């Protein structure tokens, strides 16, 4: 009997590490987002809800330990974002961060997270530097980048006859990169950029910038900004009558919420590139119905990306048997990504998620069946068309 008891005790001890490989006895995920600024509708509270729905789908625990979601507003300030993240890492013991809809904040966080060995999954940030010059073994670029959306949208517009462009870009890292990537695509397809201007973030008055665009004589005004800035620029372009006078608008990063705010009449026919859409198939519709009930809107591609990144992270912890960041990062790269919006995507050596994207066009009012039925999917876009070639990467070790 003593032998049996001793053997049972040894077996119990042998199985304990499998249940005790979670630091601080909780897996804590921080949603670092924009709660009240220009990207609040496409990130913000919706990103928190998306993360919570991922936890609901996965289950309330992983390796026998609870999962907790925390959130904070970086207010588009890099110093504030890193201050929040530093407290999360050092004091609150946050294991991973998601979303981060601002490239300047994301780049500052990338450096801190590399130092602290914490995993960050960027759904909201767009700069390609996250997987190029400033890549990290703990950083994953999840949803989109400026290279991908610029190639998808700008190439379609140029091929449709929009050969001369004027670029209207936001004056921070995201806008600079989007302007550059779109310019490269326009010129590679035989077009020409005849002028450009940059505006402050969260800008209310675009009149002087639009007058310069108008006087340039360009066929296309490329709008290289996001969120409220995109909405204001397109709305004021309509007030100036630029489209009626023969110029076209190309929104290089455009979201479902932007169309909802502006209306189909103002946005019909606009091409865009998106990583997801709520009405793609039954799984995306079913998940989006849950999101709609909690958020009051259909998900942006950033919301879908937050959900997918949190779900994959939790799956990787389960697979690795620990929340150790090095082991979890390795598991994330080894496992295919599957969720309601993503089928068998992979993570490249530089941290870029290789996923199918979609070239979409905004429907005419007569073609929409109701609220949020705004996009017509023109075609799927293979990952090879939307990601930076690894052969040209400046990410250390990415080619290994």
């Amino acid at each position: 009997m003593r032998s049996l008891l001793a053997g049972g005790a040894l077996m119990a001890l042998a199985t304990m590490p499998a249940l005790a490989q979670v630091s601080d006895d909780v897996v804590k995920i921080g949603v670092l987002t924009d709660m009240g600024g220009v990207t609040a509708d496409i990130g913000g509270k919706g990103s928190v809800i998306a993360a919570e729905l991922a936890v609901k789908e996965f289950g309330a625990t992983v390796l026998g330990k609870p999962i907790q979601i925390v959130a904070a507003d970086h207010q588009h300030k890099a110093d504030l974002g890193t201050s929040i993240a530093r407290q999360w890492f050092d004091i609150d013991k946050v294991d991973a961060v998601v979303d981060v809809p601002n490239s300047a904040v994301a780049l500052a966080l990338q450096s801190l997270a590399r130092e602290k060995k914490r995993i960050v999954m960027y759904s909201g940030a767009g700069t390609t530097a996250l997987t190029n010059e400033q890549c990290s073994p703990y950083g994953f670029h999840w949803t989109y980048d400026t290279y991908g959306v610029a190639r998808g949208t700008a190439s379609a517009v140029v091929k449709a006859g929009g050969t001369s462009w004027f670029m209207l870009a936001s004056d921070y890292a995201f806008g600079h990169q989007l302007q550059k990537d779109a310019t490269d695509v326009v010129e590679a397809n035989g077009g020409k950029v005849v002028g450009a201007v940059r505006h402050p973030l969260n800008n209310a008055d675009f009149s002087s910038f639009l007058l310069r665009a108008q006087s340039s004589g360009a066929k296309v005004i490329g709008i290289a900004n996001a969120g409220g800035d995109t909405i204001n620029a397109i709305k004021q372009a309509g007030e100036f009558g630029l489209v009626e006078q023969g110029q076209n608008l190309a929104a290089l990063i455009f979201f479902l919420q932007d169309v909802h705010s502006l209306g189909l009449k103002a946005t019909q026919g606009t091409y865009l590139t998106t990583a997801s859409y709520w009405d793609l198939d039954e799984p995306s519709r079913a998940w989006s119905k849950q999101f709609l009930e909690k958020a009051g809107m259909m998900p942006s591609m950033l919301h879908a990306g937050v959900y997918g990144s949190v779900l994959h992270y939790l799956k990787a912890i389960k697979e690795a048997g620990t929340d150790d960041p090095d082991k979890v990062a390795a598991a994330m790269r080894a496992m295919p990504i599957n969720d309601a919006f993503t089928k068998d995507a992979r993570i490249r050596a530089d941290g870029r998620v290789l996923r199918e994207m979609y070239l979409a066009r905004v429907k005419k009012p007569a073609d929409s069946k109701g609220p949020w039925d705004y996009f017509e999917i023109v075609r799927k876009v293979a990952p090879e068309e939307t990601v930076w070639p690894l052969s040209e990467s400046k990410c250390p070790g990415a080619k290994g």
Side-chain angles (χ1 to χ4, degrees):
M1 180 62 71
R2 287 175 180 165
S3 297
L4 287 172
L5 289 172
L10 287 171
M11 288 180 65
L13 286 170
T15 59
M16 282 181 65
L19 299 175
Q21 293 301 306
V22 173
S23 57
D24 306 300
D25 291 326
V26 61
V27 171
K28 196 176 289 189
I29 301 168
V31 183
L32 187 60
T33 189
D34 167 20
M35 291 295 189
V38 294
T39 54
D41 286 346
I42 56 178
K45 293 180 181 178
S47 291
V48 181
I49 291 168
E52 291 170 345
L53 286 174
V55 174
K56 178 184 175 183
E57 181 174 327
F58 181 83
T61 63
V62 58
L63 302 180
K65 303 299 180 182
I67 303 162
Q68 183 180 354
I69 301 295
V70 298
D73 183 357
H74 59 49
Q75 299 178 31
H76 292 280
K77 299 175 182 177
D79 57 346
L80 178 60
T82 50
S83 177
I84 292 168
R86 190 177 295 278
Q87 175 168 323
W88 275 357
F89 296 154
D90 293 345
I91 300 171
D92 301 331
K93 307 303 180 184
V94 168
D95 299 288
V97 177
V98 296
D99 201 12
V100 203
N102 180 294
S103 291
V105 177
L107 290 170
L109 176 58
Q110 182 87 318
S111 177
L112 177 65
R114 186 191 300 111
E115 173 195 335
K116 300 291 183 179
K117 294 189 176 181
R118 292 292 194 277
I119 287 174
V120 185
M121 296 162 283
Y122 303 98
S123 184
T127 177
T128 56
L130 289 168
T131 52
N132 204 27
E133 300 94 337
Q134 297 194 40
C135 69
S136 164
Y138 309 104
F140 299 90
H141 210 163
W142 206 264
T143 304
Y144 81 104
D145 63 22
T146 56
Y147 182 89
V149 293
R151 284 180 64 84
T153 304
S155 61
V157 173
V158 174
K159 289 172 184 176
T163 53
S164 61
W165 288 57
F166 184 95
M167 294 292 181
L168 175 63
S170 52
D171 193 11
Y172 72 110
F174 168 81
H176 298 179
Q177 189 68 52
L178 187 54
Q179 177 187 344
K180 179 185 182 303
D181 290 338
T183 299
D184 290 345
V185 173
V186 169
E187 293 175 348
N189 283 275
K192 184 178 181 181
V193 175
V194 298
V197 65
R198 290 173 176 171
H199 66 80
L201 183 67
N202 201 12
N203 189 59
D205 184 4
F206 283 86
S207 56
S208 63
F209 306 117
L210 291 170
L211 284 172
R212 289 181 61 180
Q214 184 181 38
S215 64
S216 73
K219 293 181 180 179
V220 180
I221 301 172
I223 301 175
N225 52 25
D229 284 333
T230 302
I231 291 171
N232 285 336
I234 292 178
K235 187 182 296 183
Q236 290 173 38
E239 293 168 358
F240 273 83
L242 298 188
V243 174
E244 288 85 349
Q245 295 170 33
Q247 289 181 297
N248 292 306
L249 304 179
L252 296 170
I253 178 70
F254 206 43
F255 294 91
L256 191 68
Q257 283 72 10
D258 299 336
V259 179
H260 191 74
S261 177
L262 288 163
L264 289 174
K265 185 177 179 181
T267 57
Q268 60 184 310
T270 301
Y271 282 98
L272 63 133
T273 302
T274 183
S276 63
Y277 182 48
W278 71 267
D279 199 20
L280 281 175
D281 53 27
E282 274 308 312
S284 63
R285 283 189 285 271
W287 189 90
S288 298
K289 183 180 179 181
Q290 295 182 65
F291 184 88
L292 176 65
E293 290 172 352
K294 291 181 176 293
M297 60 180 169
M298 286 299 182
S300 71
M301 70 171 176
L302 305 190
H303 298 143
V306 169
Y307 148 74
S309 62
V310 170
L311 185 61
H312 190 70
Y313 174 68
L314 295 173
K315 289 178 179 179
I317 291 176
K318 182 179 178 181
E319 178 69 19
T322 176
D323 67 348
D324 175 86
D326 291 298
K327 293 179 181 178
V328 173
M332 289 175 68
R333 286 183 166 86
M335 298 165 58
I337 301 168
N338 284 292
D339 57 58
F341 298 93
T342 311
K343 304 296 182 290
D344 294 323
R346 293 281 180 178
I347 300 174
R348 202 165 65 169
D350 58 358
R352 182 68 162 87
V353 170
L354 305 180
R355 63 164 70 252
E356 283 186 335
M357 297 190 76
Y358 303 89
L359 179 64
R361 183 168 48 221
V362 178
K363 290 183 175 182
K364 297 177 181 177
D367 295 334
S368 174
K369 298 176 183 177
W372 304 107
D373 179 29
Y374 300 152
F375 290 172
E376 169 196 355
I377 302 301
V378 177
R379 70 179 181 95
K380 289 183 179 180
V381 184
E384 294 75 20
E385 296 183 53
T386 59
V387 297
W388 186 268
L390 200 58
S391 60
E392 299 177 19
S393 177
K394 297 177 183 177
C395 174
K399 302 173 188 178

